[in-house]
Amino acid sequence: SLCAAGEPDLSYRELKELKKANVLHIDVRERWEIDRFGKIPESINIPLGELMEALQMDPTEFKEQYNQKMPSKSDPVVFSCLAGTRSKQAVGFAMSLGFS
């Protein structure tokens, strides 16, 4: 299930369209879930338990850790997980840190 602040539930087709517009897709599932169920192409995995720390990292450290440019607070970001609960929490965490 996929979440974005303006659009709480996205379909896979909507996500594919958003990815064409350089939306950062953060998968907040645990690493074992990625290993078991597979990685979503062009997403980065930041388990929910690491997300608050990751979104407050120095941009250089973020790039080294996740091999991706750190999003700015105004960049479009989509969170996903298995059922939608963690991705909704991720949206809340990001918004509490000032992400729009």
Side-chain angles (χ1 to χ4, degrees), residues 53-88:
E53 182 182 338
L55 293 178
Q56 297 177 81
M57 281 180 170
D58 173 79
T60 305
E61 189 181 351
F62 186 94
K63 174 95 170 127
E64 287 171 8
Q65 174 103 15
Y66 299 107
N67 199 28
Q68 176 77 38
K69 179 183 168 283
M70 184 169 177
S72 76
K73 297 206 188 278
S74 61
D75 285 344
V77 179
V78 172
F79 297 98
S80 68
C81 63
L82 197 59
T85 303
R86 290 173 288 179
S87 56
K88 283 181 175 61

Side-chain angles (χ1 to χ4, degrees), residues 20-60:
K20 291 178 186 173
N22 290 327
V23 169
L24 178 61
H25 178 193
I26 299 176
D27 186 339
V28 296
R29 293 179 295 162
E30 296 298 321
R31 287 185 179 85
W32 69 265
E33 291 175 282
I34 303 293
D35 293 341
R36 183 169 177 191
F37 301 111
K39 182 182 186 312
I40 299 170
E42 299 168 25
S43 68
I44 63 170
N45 176 232
I46 305 175
L48 186 64
E50 294 176 21
L51 186 65
M52 287 291 279
E53 182 182 338
L55 293 178
Q56 297 177 81
M57 281 180 170
D58 173 79
T60 305

